Amino acid sequence: MICDELRKDIAAIKSSRSAMQERYDHMNKTGTSGKADFVESRITAEKLVDEILEKYLPDFAEKNPELFNWYPNQEIKLNERAVFSINNNGNERIIVGQPGCLVEISTTKNGQYKVNTFNAHEEWTYTPLLDVLTVFSKDKILLGDGLHKEINICEKDSMGKWNLTATIEKLNNEEGDKCSPNVAIGLPNKRILIGGDNGMLNICGRDMLGRWKILEKIPGLKDKDGELSSVNAFHVLSDNNILIGGSRILYRLSRNTTTDKWVLSDESEKVFNDDDSHYVRDIKTMPNGNLLICTDEAIYEEKYTNEDEFERISAYKEGRHWGIIGDNRYENFRKVLPVADNNIIVLLKNGARDTTSLYSFKKDDNGRWSITQELGYFDKETDEDGNTIADNRIEDIIASPNGGFIIAKRGSLVEYMHRADSVEELKNNLDKIIEKGEA
């Protein structure tokens, strides 16, 4: 809030109410002859209050997010291609990967977004499927190409242009099969850990001649049935070990400081403590330091004890078949984004119908999670030949530099923020806001 502007608005309300009080006193002295003037002054005062409250709706919601719902705040238009991934590099910049197109988005001083596009069609010899696996800095990113089953390192030069500086091929698993990359994370000594389909776990870096290549293949990434497990999520733990989420499994990768080798732990079934199949999709850290482990059918909040031990804090699951069932649709969890210790945003997908949904969850004082808001059901429209003509399905979700979150769908990104939907909603919560003392 701008204090000088707020003082002027408060003074205007006081002046309007003083005028209304004068007309009220006049009406009491003169009888019904002054009633019309009083009613007019009351309408004017109430209209002024509504206008000023509407002006400060974003500020009230920012200070009191628990009292208001999430609503779309602004849309960032892209080209009409699909969005494979979005990644926030920590410098208030967003990197978007699309087919043959790399998009860099920066924020302006007023919270708006500026879009810069690098078209790989014109610069590279072929069109890669640009999936932003990780962002090392504002000038260096790692791109995965699922079609050609390789990764590309991209760096920005002094002129602000993105350049393909290295390509790493032969992303094979322990059986020698070429695999698509899914996730990546930076390691010490400027190395990269790459995880992908069918048990592929490779460490990449520069050789003695400075060339990027695969330095080590880590074997043994199998699920509890002995099948090769795909890697869907990495997360750096508080002791600098790496938690690996895959198909029906969680592994811990630790570094032997004597041999400088990375060692895969035994499977961490103790995290789930049941016989169900848990396909780990996402792992995030909450503001309180606990882990959120998102599987197809449940979300777990775990506390890591630095001794490869996990303490269950809470979990969300419904009935025998977990996930969310509603309106004849069965949806599985895909992504989770903590926005507070007791508030998370969850992206779900119906694999059969190829649709997505977005929900807000809140945890009560007893550690129970419940749905507080369904933000939307995102479907696709097809023509009579079955071709997609409009696609609103969500592909990814990240935190917004402005304090909310951003979803990615075909052709655009949409920023969501906490705000009151109307002045009436704000008025209904004014007593609680005043009681908090953080208006």
Side-chain angles (χ1 to χ4, degrees):
M1 289 185 183
I2 303 174
C3 293
D4 290 340
E5 193 171 334
L6 178 61
R7 292 189 187 98
K8 292 179 181 178
D9 290 331
I10 292 174
I13 291 175
K14 288 181 177 179
S15 176
S16 178
R17 288 195 175 273
S18 295
M20 183 177 68
Q21 184 65 45
E22 290 177 3
R23 285 168 174 74
Y24 178 76
D25 294 339
H26 178 72
M27 181 184 68
N28 285 338
K29 291 179 181 179
T30 61
T32 57
S33 61
K35 185 177 180 180
D37 289 339
F38 166 70
V39 171
E40 182 180 353
S41 66
R42 186 183 65 185
I43 292 173
T44 300
E46 290 176 350
K47 183 179 179 182
L48 177 63
V49 169
D50 286 352
E51 290 174 352
I52 292 175
L53 285 176
E54 187 170 8
K55 178 181 177 181
Y56 292 102
L57 281 181
D59 297 286
F60 280 112
E62 180 182 349
K63 292 290 186 180
N64 307 273
E66 73 282 0
L67 301 177
F68 302 102
N69 282 332
W70 295 96
Y71 293 97
N73 183 54
Q74 58 179 313
E75 186 171 14
I76 309 165
K77 288 289 188 180
L78 307 174
N79 60 50
E80 289 302 316
R81 298 172 185 155
V83 174
F84 289 137
S85 63
I86 48 178
N87 204 310
N88 196 331
N89 69 358
N91 291 285
E92 296 191 345
R93 290 177 184 269
I94 300 166
I95 305 294
V96 184
Q98 294 184 276
C101 181
L102 184 66
V103 182
E104 181 182 30
I105 301 170
S106 57
T107 53
T108 61
K109 291 182 179 179
N110 61 357
Q112 300 299 302
Y113 293 95
K114 180 182 179 182
V115 179
N116 298 306
T117 301
F118 167 68
N119 195 334
H121 285 288
E122 302 170 357
E123 302 290 336
W124 297 349
T125 56
Y126 65 87
T127 303
L129 303 180
L130 302 187
D131 187 356
V132 183
L133 297 182
T134 190
V135 175
F136 296 111
S137 68
K138 64 180 181 179
D139 298 325
K140 186 176 181 180
I141 60 178
L142 183 69
L143 304 174
D145 184 348
L147 178 63
H148 298 87
K149 297 183 179 180
E150 61 189 29
I151 56 175
N152 301 296
I153 296 173
C154 247
E155 297 184 80
K156 188 190 292 185
D157 60 25
S158 58
M159 302 297 292
K161 178 182 176 182
W162 287 100
N163 298 286
L164 176 63
T165 58
T167 297
I168 305 176
E169 302 174 336
K170 299 180 180 178
L171 298 176
N172 301 338
N173 62 12
E174 60 183 285
E175 297 182 350
D177 298 325
K178 197 173 182 180
C179 303
S180 297
N182 294 333
V183 288
I185 197 170
L187 296 177
N189 301 324
K190 297 183 180 179
R191 295 180 179 180
I192 310 165
L193 179 67
I194 309 291
D197 295 340
N198 302 319
M200 187 267 283
L201 195 60
N202 294 169
I203 294 178
C204 301
R206 294 184 184 273
D207 61 15
M208 298 296 292
L209 298 176
R211 297 170 300 188
W212 280 95
K213 61 183 295 186
I214 296 171
L215 302 178
E216 182 181 353
K217 298 180 186 295
I218 301 175
L221 194 68
K222 298 181 179 181
D223 66 19
K224 61 184 181 181
D225 293 332
E227 301 294 332
L228 290 173
S229 168
S230 293
V231 183
N232 299 317
F234 285 146
H235 195 82
V236 179
L237 297 167
S238 54
D239 56 6
N240 292 322
N241 291 325
I242 297 172
L243 192 63
I244 301 174
S247 306
R248 305 193 296 177
I249 202 72
L250 271 172
Y251 277 101
R252 184 175 58 93
L253 191 66
S254 58
R255 180 167 171 255
N256 187 315
T257 55
T258 302
T259 63
D260 197 29
K261 294 289 185 180
W262 288 87
V263 181
L264 204 61
S265 70
D266 293 331
E267 56 188 85
S268 300
E269 291 295 328
K270 55 193 169 186
V271 173
F272 301 131
N273 296 320
D274 55 49
D275 294 327
D276 290 276
S277 296
H278 295 271
Y279 292 82
V280 180
R281 293 294 181 180
D282 198 10
I283 306 173
K284 294 287 174 54
T285 299
M286 301 179 70
N288 60 15
N290 292 338
L291 295 177
L292 275 180
I293 300 175
C294 175
T295 74
D296 274 27
E297 300 173 333
I299 297 175
Y300 299 93
E301 181 184 0
E302 303 280 342
K303 183 176 181 180
Y304 182 63
T305 65
N306 291 0
E307 297 176 355
D308 197 22
E309 295 289 337
F310 294 86
E311 176 188 350
R312 175 69 48 78
I313 303 300
S314 63
Y316 179 85
K317 48 191 175 182
E318 281 191 350
R320 184 175 182 277
H321 297 288
W322 299 343
I324 293 181
I325 303 174
D327 297 331
N328 297 318
R329 64 182 197 259
Y330 179 62
E331 301 167 320
N332 292 124
F333 301 112
R334 281 298 181 268
K335 294 277 185 178
V336 60
L337 180 70
V339 290
D341 285 336
N342 62 348
N343 189 211
I344 59 177
I345 305 298
V346 182
L347 173 62
L348 298 101
K349 183 175 184 179
N350 183 315
R353 299 188 180 185
D354 205 13
T355 58
T356 57
S357 293
L358 200 63
Y359 290 86
S360 172
F361 285 73
K362 187 175 182 179
K363 184 174 63 174
D364 62 23
D365 294 337
N366 296 317
R368 291 189 296 265
W369 290 95
S370 60
I371 298 172
T372 57
Q373 183 185 358
E374 181 177 359
L375 282 77
Y377 174 65
F378 301 84
D379 204 345
K380 58 180 179 178
E381 299 176 24
T382 57
D383 59 20
E384 56 185 13
D385 297 324
N387 299 315
T388 299
I389 56 176
D391 191 350
N392 290 315
R393 294 169 299 175
I394 305 174
E395 300 299 334
D396 213 339
I397 178 173
I398 59 169
S400 162
N402 293 329
F405 65 90
I406 293 174
I407 63 170
K409 56 183 183 177
R410 179 182 289 273
S412 71
L413 310 182
V414 182
E415 180 186 57
Y416 281 75
M417 300 288 287
H418 271 302
R419 63 177 173 85
D421 192 36
S422 66
V423 171
E424 290 304 314
E425 184 184 352
L426 179 56
K427 287 179 177 179
N428 292 336
N429 287 285
L430 271 180
D431 289 342
K432 296 177 183 177
I433 293 172
I434 293 170
E435 185 178 349
K436 274 183 63 180
E438 297 184 20

